Amino acid sequence: MRALSFLARRFVAGEQAADAVRAGERLQARGIRATFDLLGEDVLDREAARRCAQANADLLRLIPSGVERNVSIKLSNLGLDIDRAFCVEQTAQILAVAREVGGFVRIDMEGSQHTSATLEVFRELRRSFDNVGIVLQAYLHRTEADLRACLEHGDRVRLCKGAYSEPAATALQKMDDIRANYRKLARLLLERGNYPALATHDESLIQDALGYVREQAIPATRYEFQMLYGLRPKRWDELVAAGQNVRIYVPYGTHWLPYFYRRLRERKENVWFVLRGLFE
Ligand SMILES: Cc1cc2nc3c(=O)[nH]c(=O)nc-3n(C[C@H](O)[C@H](O)[C@H](O)COP(=O)(O)OP(=O)(O)OC[C@H]3O[C@@H](n4cnc5c(N)ncnc54)[C@H](O)[C@@H]3O)c2cc1C
């Protein structure tokens, strides 16, 4: 498909960096922050990883003042499966540009075959950089220990449920168990974390966090909620109106099709949205 289909536009900001920036400006005008995600191509060689690093650095420089310079990256797009030292080098280049422009870089968490390597690269980069954060997944059995280590180091953590298919030996399988673990870990982060991000569309988890911060008198400046571009947009405005910080994960780039299909598979509401669009 040559141009980004108008249906996918609900979930993807556009194919070009300038489209992502425009989406960020529109969000900013509503009092909502953004983190920008360049949708990945398959990175099998160093050249593709260098292109990814360069594109992220270019975006950080392109974002105008007034919009926060905040990107989310995946280490597998930066050579994690090719060579660890090379991946550290590419990621450090993005972090250096982010530092130059007062920006922040979030390292997304991928499937469990990448968890240890991702955390090790993050730990190495944290020795030289303050402007980098990590993602932890509530479904993994190991996550409470990883989270406690992050608390010790004062790391900035985004907590999500986890998006990959994982075996029972590695991850909780039942949604109720995942929710219970999310609630427990979110409370730890809200109590002791360094500006944690609670990434979820799950109303029961949002309500639990809001109840907990009220009860503990934790100010809204100490944490933020995060959601995906196109999902629950009315809820973003409600949270902002209630004095909460909200950041939206804004994907962009030419490799948008697999991301779009994932969003459709996730929820029947998303399919309805697309079907309605086809007939309107
Ligand atoms: C900002 C962000 C960053 C992420 N980064 C990562 C990452 O680095 N690694 C990773 O593995 N995963 C990541 N994820 C994905 C995450 O792990 C989950 O797969 C995804 O968010 C789905 O789980 P959920 O908690 O949002 O809600 P779901 O499990 O999809 O939904 C549960 C409940 O939420 C409510 N709900 C959901 N959508 C709606 C709606 N549209 N309207 C009304 N109610 C709704 C309903 O009550 C529903 O039953 C990220 C998610 C976000 C939001």
Side-chain angles (χ1 to χ4, degrees):
M1 243 181 288
R2 234 183 58 240
L4 182 65
S5 141
F6 78 101
L7 296 171
R9 271 203 179 266
R10 165 148 181 170
F11 305 104
V12 180
E15 292 193 337
Q16 309 301 325
D19 299 323
V21 169
R22 270 194 295 278
E25 288 173 325
R26 284 194 300 271
L27 289 168
Q28 189 67 41
R30 288 160 66 181
I32 299 169
R33 301 159 193 196
T35 181
F36 300 99
D37 166 49
L38 172 61
L39 293 168
E41 52 183 312
D42 284 338
V43 172
L44 304 171
D45 58 47
R46 288 169 191 253
E47 227 12 76
R50 284 194 193 98
R51 273 200 303 277
C52 176
Q54 188 60 50
N56 275 288
D58 290 348
L59 180 75
L60 281 162
R61 291 209 168 95
L62 186 71
I63 300 170
S65 60
V67 175
E68 262 186 43
R69 290 153 178 150
N70 188 312
V71 296
S72 290
I73 57 173
K74 290 188 176 55
L75 294 186
S76 65
N77 291 338
L78 292 160
L80 187 64
D81 300 325
I82 302 169
D83 176 77
R84 181 83 61 95
F86 171 76
C87 176
V88 170
E89 198 182 294
Q90 297 309 307
T91 312
Q93 282 176 21
I94 304 175
L95 293 179
V97 173
R99 183 152 63 192
E100 205 182 291
V101 301
F104 183 80
V105 178
R106 178 79 61 180
I107 298 178
D108 284 350
M109 190 54 80
E110 303 182 63
S112 60
Q113 74 280 16
H114 287 116
T115 311
S116 293
T118 302
L119 284 166
E120 282 157 26
V121 168
F122 170 66
R123 188 62 51 227
E124 185 169 342
L125 290 164
R126 272 287 276 134
R127 281 195 223 116
S128 322
F129 293 96
D130 278 335
N131 61 337
V132 61
I134 190 72
V135 178
L136 295 177
Q137 300 155 321
Y139 66 6
L140 292 187
H141 300 310
R142 61 176 286 167
T143 292
E144 182 171 347
D146 291 335
L147 188 140
R148 288 185 186 278
C150 287
L151 289 175
E152 291 296 310
H153 286 93
D155 300 327
R156 275 178 61 176
V157 173
R158 171 201 294 154
L159 182 65
C160 65
K161 281 180 186 160
Y164 300 82
S165 174
E166 301 287 359
T170 309
L172 299 166
Q173 304 291 311
K174 292 193 193 122
M175 186 51 92
D176 280 350
D177 296 341
I178 298 170
R179 281 201 180 106
N181 202 38
Y182 192 107
R183 278 193 292 273
K184 176 181 180 187
L185 301 179
R187 286 170 175 227
L188 270 173
L189 282 171
L190 289 167
E191 254 168 52
R192 295 171 43 202
N194 175 8
Y195 196 67
L198 303 183
T200 182
H201 311 93
D202 191 324
E203 194 56 36
S204 70
L205 298 180
I206 295 171
Q207 287 302 333
D208 188 77
L210 289 173
Y212 191 69
V213 295
R214 226 179 359 252
E215 190 184 297
Q216 302 294 318
I218 297 169
T221 47
R222 293 237 327 256
Y223 61 91
E224 68 183 23
F225 288 104
Q226 296 191 350
M227 296 193 206
L228 301 179
Y229 192 70
L231 296 185
R232 309 202 67 191
K234 287 196 195 103
R235 193 70 182 109
W236 313 342
D237 292 323
E238 288 166 7
L239 285 168
V240 169
Q244 301 295 320
N245 289 329
V246 177
R247 187 182 305 279
I248 298 307
Y249 188 99
V250 178
Y252 73 99
T254 51
H255 290 76
W256 52 269
L257 204 55
Y259 179 86
F260 176 52
Y261 280 140
R262 273 205 302 282
R263 297 288 81 81
L264 288 191
R265 274 206 315 268
E266 245 166 36
R267 287 187 70 75
K268 64 178 185 309
E269 285 85 347
N270 296 342
V271 177
W272 282 123
F273 163 80
V274 167
L275 289 177
R276 265 205 319 275
L278 282 173
F279 293 108
E280 270 165 9

